[in-house]
Amino acid sequence: MERILLQLQYNGANFQGFQIQNEGRTVQYELERILKRMHKQFVRIHPSSRTDKGVHARMQYVHFDTPLSIPESKWQHAFNSALPDDIYITQVTKISEHFHSRYDCIGKAYRYKVYVAEHRNVMHSGQITHIKTKLDVKTMNSAAQHFLGTHDFTSFCSAKTEIENKERTLYRFEVTETAEGYDFYVIGSGFLYNMVRIMVQYLIDVGTGQKDGDSIPAIIQAQDRTKAGKTAPAEGLYLEKIYLDTETLKQDIPQGTAIIFKNQKHKMNGEQL
């Protein structure tokens, strides 16, 4: 048996999410459909992240095990020639049987995109979130720093979140102005259901003066979903990057930041805390 790692991108606008659902298109179904055809039996894939309905991915990983001995380039061709236009395999790698896409993922980066206009631009539909008001970037960036570090993010995740441990670590969170609006960029050890979208909506409300950024620590402490406000739409959210090794992650976060592994903290120089 060989273990195959796929790196892929997808436009999530017309998917019900990554994970197979009772109804509607999903990314998982499209990939497993091709594997079943090739193997004449069901083959399970294991993703690094399970994105929600309407969320896009610029980088996602999945792995699967196969008895077939096929060159990596042939795997890529086999998938891309059969996949729909909104999914594309960017890289195929044969990996160790001990590697796992989910458990060996040490961090993720998300980007949330908004554009500012008096009227909605239909060409951005499903791709970028529309807002009508300009935002205060400096105030939002100041507020975003309150999210950094390790916290219980119960207040900033969906009430439907089934995971008991809601503690996550954020390494970097910044808002930048773009030609059309704003990008919200966040890197963390992992994210809970709707967590990025709830944090982004709170920052947007800070940027319009509707909410106070300095209230974030108290809201986190409250562990009460009702305190954080609404959830931003899915369409502006992109899974930007998956981190599978510390060297890549440390290049994208502030120097000296402690990287959180499962139940351990490590400094960049390898010194354990």
Side-chain angles (χ1 to χ4, degrees):
M1 294 286 283
E2 291 184 329
R3 181 157 291 186
I4 305 297
L5 179 67
L6 306 179
Q7 184 187 97
L8 63 147
Q9 299 178 333
Y10 49 86
N11 179 333
N14 295 315
F15 287 107
Q16 294 298 307
F18 182 92
Q19 190 174 14
I20 283 181
Q21 307 291 327
N22 292 329
E23 296 182 358
R25 296 178 71 223
T26 67
V27 179
Q28 182 177 1
Y29 171 79
E30 295 291 350
L31 295 171
E32 289 180 346
R33 172 182 62 82
I34 294 170
L35 287 172
K36 184 176 182 179
R37 187 179 68 186
M38 295 178 68
H39 291 79
K40 310 303 181 186
Q41 63 181 4
F42 177 76
V43 176
R44 170 68 71 198
I45 63 169
H46 303 274
S48 293
S49 182
R50 293 178 293 179
T51 52
D52 200 9
K53 176 182 177 181
V55 176
H56 317 288
R58 288 196 170 112
M59 178 188 286
Q60 165 75 293
Y61 285 104
V62 304
H63 83 260
F64 61 90
D65 294 327
T66 178
L68 304 179
S69 183
I70 300 176
E72 293 154 330
S73 61
K74 298 293 186 183
W75 275 115
Q76 186 175 20
H77 176 75
F79 275 104
N80 286 333
S81 61
L83 282 168
D85 290 342
D86 43 10
I87 309 177
Y88 191 81
I89 306 301
T90 54
Q91 184 178 355
V92 178
T93 310
K94 294 183 179 182
I95 53 171
S96 164
E97 63 180 10
H98 303 295
F99 175 88
H100 195 285
S101 295
R102 177 182 174 188
Y103 302 122
D104 286 307
C105 170
I106 62 170
K108 299 172 185 177
Y110 278 92
R111 184 181 302 275
Y112 194 93
K113 301 177 71 64
V114 304
Y115 70 98
V116 182
E118 182 179 355
H119 301 289
R120 184 171 58 88
N121 183 344
V122 296
M123 298 304 173
H124 289 332
S125 181
Q127 307 299 315
I128 313 176
T129 296
H130 172 233
I131 61 173
K132 293 185 176 182
T133 308
K134 287 190 174 183
L135 307 175
D136 186 327
V137 175
K138 183 178 180 180
T139 303
M140 289 189 294
N141 272 312
S142 178
Q145 305 318 298
H146 291 301
F147 289 119
L148 300 184
T150 302
H151 308 286
D152 183 313
F153 282 96
T154 296
S155 296
F156 287 91
C157 73
S158 170
K160 298 178 182 178
T161 303
E162 297 178 352
I163 298 173
E164 289 187 14
N165 179 11
K166 296 182 176 64
E167 188 175 277
R168 298 292 184 272
T169 302
L170 298 193
Y171 303 121
R172 174 181 168 189
F173 204 159
E174 62 187 27
V175 186
T176 56
E177 193 163 1
T178 65
E180 293 187 284
Y182 308 92
D183 277 11
F184 298 75
Y185 190 71
V186 59
I187 301 176
S189 62
F191 297 89
L192 300 163
Y193 184 39
N194 284 353
M195 178 175 160
V196 176
R197 291 163 56 192
I198 296 169
M199 292 190 299
V200 166
Q201 185 61 56
Y202 192 93
L203 291 179
I204 290 174
D205 291 341
V206 168
T208 60
Q210 298 177 70
K211 283 187 167 56
D212 180 8
D214 290 334
S215 296
I216 290 173
I219 295 173
I220 292 174
Q221 187 68 29
Q223 297 184 22
D224 180 353
R225 173 65 188 92
T226 65
K227 303 290 187 185
K230 296 180 180 180
T231 305
E235 62 183 351
L237 184 59
Y238 293 75
L239 175 58
E240 185 90 357
K241 200 168 186 178
I242 297 287
Y243 295 96
L244 301 178
D245 64 89
T246 56
E247 289 303 311
T248 305
L249 176 56
K250 72 181 184 181
Q251 291 173 11
D252 290 351
I253 61 178
Q255 186 176 5
T257 302
I259 296 178
I260 304 301
F261 298 87
K262 293 175 176 61
N263 302 317
Q264 293 186 48
K265 293 182 180 179
H266 296 260
K267 281 289 190 183
M268 290 304 180
N269 60 10
E271 178 185 351
Q272 185 171 329
L273 295 178

